[in-house]
Amino acid sequence: METLPPGDLLDGQSHAWVEWWAGRWTAFDPTNGIPVGERHVAVGRGREYGDVPPLKGVYAGPANTGQGVEVAITRLR
């Protein structure tokens, strides 16, 4: 992981990982094929996608309008 001075902005990614109980909580990121570590930031927990969807609501507008998601991380200290 690259080290940034506080206040610098870094582009990130948004995806889910899995956690399970096996005598202790164990987490794995299947998208990147790595254990969950300091590069992961939990913003919600749920039993399934419907418990914590990243976007939820109703869109009213033209059908041909696309949607996009951007993830930016700022180091605070």
Side-chain angles (χ1 to χ4, degrees), residues 2 4-5 7-8 10 13 19 25 28-29 33 40 54 62 69-70 73 75:
E2 68 182 275
L4 298 173
D8 277 9
L10 175 69
Q13 299 174 355
E19 296 183 17
W25 283 106
F28 187 75
D29 176 352
H40 294 81
V69 175
E70 180 178 315
I73 303 166
R75 181 176 172 191

Side-chain angles (χ1 to χ4, degrees), residues 4-5 11-12 22 24 32 35 39 41-42 44-45 47 50-51 53 56-59 63-64 68-70 72 74:
L4 298 173
D11 290 332
R24 65 179 178 85
N32 294 307
R39 297 181 69 181
V41 178
R45 295 197 191 290
R47 296 166 294 167
D51 289 342
K56 187 174 183 178
V58 177
Y59 172 75
N64 62 352
V69 175
E70 180 178 315
T74 303

